[in-house]
């Protein structure tokens, strides 16, 4: 039951939350669900920071609902690195690139006119491709907790520099807290 739930939830989710063993707040991570495992890229310039993931043996992956934002399931994962010279890297990296949104060339990467950009060569030099394999343990399943406060974003200094638009006759909605 839980294996099917994890598989279905991961197929539908583009973003998961990873609780690292250091006890810090869970961090959001885009991923690729492929062959019964989640592949996550971390490290390198312009990629998602997941400090401590390459050194971790096990992590907890939290999958949220796309429509309501609540926690669907949490599952324990065994963490392993996929080296860039491994055949698995050659198979997974292009698929991971398709899942990567907003991939832009870094200042040191030259892209010729008419060529499509691929960060895969940079990833092989700078980043870690981590494989998160389900262990079969699900510490939290649907209905166990009412709130999803543990999957709130990590505080960031990034702010919106523009003011909210003025709406004539518009009604204010309460913020989702």
């Amino acid at each position: 039951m839980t294996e099917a739930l994890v598989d279905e939830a991961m197929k539908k989710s583009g973003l998961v939350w990873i609780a690292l063993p250091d006890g810090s707040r869970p961090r959001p991570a885009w991923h690729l669900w492929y062959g019964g495992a989640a592949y996550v890229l971390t490290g390198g310039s312009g990629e998602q920071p997941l400090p401590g993931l390459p050194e971790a043996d096990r992590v907890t992956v939290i999958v949220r609902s796309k429509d309501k934002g609540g926690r669907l399931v949490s599952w324990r994962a065994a963490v392993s690195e996929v080296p860039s010279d491994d055949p698995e890297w050659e198979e997974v990296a292009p698929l991971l690139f398709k899942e990567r949104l907003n991939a832009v060339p870094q200042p040191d990467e030259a892209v010729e006119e008419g060529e499509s950009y691929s960060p895969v060569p940079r990833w092989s030099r700078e980043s870690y491709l981590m494989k998160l394999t389900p262990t079969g343990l699900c510490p939290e399943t649907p209905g166990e907790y009412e709130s999803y406060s543990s999957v709130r974003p990590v505080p960031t200094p990034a702010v919106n520099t523009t003011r909210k638009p003025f709406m004539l006759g518009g009604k204010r909605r309460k913020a989702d807290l």
Side-chain angles (χ1 to χ4, degrees):
M1 158 67 179
T2 56
E3 293 168 5
L5 176 64
V6 167
D7 187 56
E8 191 63 28
M10 291 299 291
K11 283 179 185 175
K12 292 182 178 182
S13 175
L15 181 78
V16 294
W17 297 80
I18 299 177
L20 299 166
D22 65 359
S24 63
R25 295 182 74 176
R27 295 188 169 258
W30 59 273
H31 72 284
L32 168 70
W33 182 254
Y34 182 72
Y39 291 88
V40 177
L41 190 81
T42 185
S45 57
E47 299 306 329
Q48 59 191 352
L50 297 169
L53 183 62
E55 296 84 22
D57 292 335
R58 301 225 187 274
V59 295
T60 300
V61 179
I62 303 163
V63 186
R64 65 176 181 80
S65 167
K66 279 181 132 176
D67 57 347
K68 300 287 185 184
R71 181 190 324 235
L72 284 179
V73 66
S74 295
W75 54 276
R76 296 286 291 162
V79 180
S80 60
E81 182 182 355
V82 180
S84 60
D85 57 355
D86 192 298
E88 188 176 16
W89 172 278
E90 298 296 326
E91 183 180 353
V92 172
L95 299 173
L96 193 64
F97 171 58
K98 290 180 184 177
E99 294 294 317
R100 173 71 162 99
L101 297 176
N102 305 326
V104 295
Q106 296 300 311
D108 60 341
E109 294 177 308
V111 179
E112 298 295 325
E113 182 85 22
E115 282 187 23
S116 60
Y117 168 68
S118 174
V120 174
R122 178 173 45 89
W123 289 349
S124 67
R125 291 187 312 270
E126 300 178 1
S127 300
Y128 297 99
L129 179 57
M130 306 306 295
K131 182 177 183 178
L132 308 179
T133 308
T135 61
L137 298 174
C138 291
E140 297 166 14
T141 55
E144 221 172 300
Y145 293 96
E146 295 300 319
S147 73
Y148 60 100
S149 61
S150 66
V151 296
R152 292 285 183 171
V154 176
T156 176
V159 294
N160 188 356
T161 58
T162 60
R163 295 186 338 193
K164 292 181 181 177
F166 175 74
M167 290 180 52
L168 187 59
K171 293 185 179 181
R172 299 195 132 208
R173 295 186 306 159
K174 288 186 177 181
D176 177 28
L177 299 177

